[in-house]
Amino acid sequence: VTAIPVTTADALKYESQYVKLSNLHPAPTAVGKTYGDESFNKDVPFYDANYAEVIIRMSSYASFKDDVIPAMEGDICGVVSQWNGDLQLLPQYASDFDWKTDFDVNPTTVTISQIEGVGYYKVENAWIAGFTGNGPIITDSNNAFIGVLVYSNKDYKTIGQKLTIVGPVNIHQGGLQFSE
């Protein structure tokens, strides 16, 4: 079976088919960890060049579940799936990963006003200014604001709570937001 080359944006049109997504890299928090676990399936976040998230769903039975996720970018093949609206890719073999280049897992440290597009960022000395149904709105000393997309506010409880946030920023509902 030859994988169908598709873009992240079009992948769900190929649900249940074997596809190849190009230029994916792991979330920096996943680098150095294993693909899977002994007792349960594992979801590993990966991103494309535009920081659209692709969940790599690993079976606890995968022969390569104990392999370490490298700080690399490349092509990943697998069956397209969807869970709660999230794009998932289910690779089956170690050969479904074709690593091509090193990937820098270090975020760019910025103020919120310096975030002008998708990327992987770190904002220090920020605080919670308010909440939406999708998560907190954070601000910094430059009076710029950005949303943080989370599906619960369990880690963000109080207006004024100080924080450092590190993660991918992508476009959600027409604006830039830190993703979960």
Side-chain angles (χ1 to χ4, degrees), residues 30-67:
V31 172
K33 297 180 181 171
T34 60
Y35 286 100
D37 288 309
E38 287 292 328
S39 59
F40 58 91
N41 296 335
K42 183 175 179 181
D43 294 338
V44 181
F46 277 70
Y47 297 96
D48 69 8
N50 294 316
Y51 282 89
E53 186 176 60
V54 177
I55 300 296
I56 303 299
R57 178 87 168 150
M58 296 303 308
S59 168
S60 60
Y61 298 104
S63 62
F64 58 97
K65 71 179 177 295
D66 296 325
D67 292 354

Side-chain angles (χ1 to χ4, degrees), residues 143-156:
N143 294 319
F145 296 86
I146 192 168
V148 180
L149 178 63
V150 294
Y151 295 104
S152 72
N153 290 329
K154 64 181 183 206
D155 296 329
Y156 309 102

Side-chain angles (χ1 to χ4, degrees), residues 127-139 145-159 161 163 165 177-178:
W127 61 89
I128 296 175
F131 296 93
T132 70
N134 290 330
I137 302 294
I138 62 171
T139 189
F145 296 86
I146 192 168
V148 180
L149 178 63
V150 294
Y151 295 104
S152 72
N153 290 329
K154 64 181 183 206
D155 296 329
Y156 309 102
K157 302 197 183 288
T158 309
I159 290 179
Q161 177 182 348
L163 53 89
I165 187 160
Q177 289 188 352
F178 275 96

